[in-house]
Amino acid sequence: EAESIHLDSTLAVPLGLILTELLINASKYAYAAGGSGEVRVACLREMGNIVLRVQDQGVGLADGFDPEQASGLGMRLVTSLSRQIGGQFTIDGSMGTDAKLVLPLPAQRNPA
């Protein structure tokens, strides 16, 4: 699910990397080997923000999982890029996994 949101490369590239990493994690870890399930992706405007969300109904995350302290390079990349673009990244693994990035919608520039 996505809305048309025009972004310049300084925001679009990190968002693409974050989305890719979250999708890789969902495909690798959400469902048991050989199992199947749904992964939902949304990128929407909400109250002056861009909200990127990747959700699954898989096994979830270990109790106390902290993305800032994750040992994997991928989750460290997600948190670092989120900060770099001024976003707030949260992840809830209590019922499947719900990864959410909220960042301010950039002001639209007037073409010259």
Side-chain angles (χ1 to χ4, degrees):
E1 179 180 359
E3 290 184 42
S4 178
I5 302 171
H6 296 279
L7 303 171
D8 66 26
S9 62
T10 60
L11 195 53
V13 170
L15 271 177
L17 291 170
I18 291 167
L19 176 58
T20 299
E21 189 56 43
L22 294 174
L23 287 171
I24 288 169
N25 285 347
S27 68
K28 284 172 66 174
Y29 304 116
Y31 302 101
S36 64
E38 185 175 287
V39 177
R40 299 180 61 112
V41 177
C43 187
L44 306 168
R45 297 174 207 222
E46 290 182 8
M47 299 174 41
N49 294 312
I50 297 171
V51 178
L52 174 66
R53 195 171 211 162
V54 177
Q55 300 170 291
D56 65 62
Q57 295 176 345
V59 297
L61 300 170
D63 287 341
F65 177 81
D66 180 357
E68 295 284 340
Q69 302 300 317
S71 60
L73 177 62
M75 194 53 62
R76 289 193 322 239
L77 179 66
V78 168
T79 57
S80 177
L81 287 171
S82 297
R83 277 193 304 273
Q84 176 184 320
I85 60 176
Q88 178 161 0
F89 177 73
T90 57
I91 190 164
D92 178 10
S94 59
M95 297 181 70
T97 301
D98 182 2
K100 181 177 177 182
L101 174 64
V102 179
L103 60 143
L105 188 63
Q108 297 296 318
R109 291 187 267 175
N110 293 328

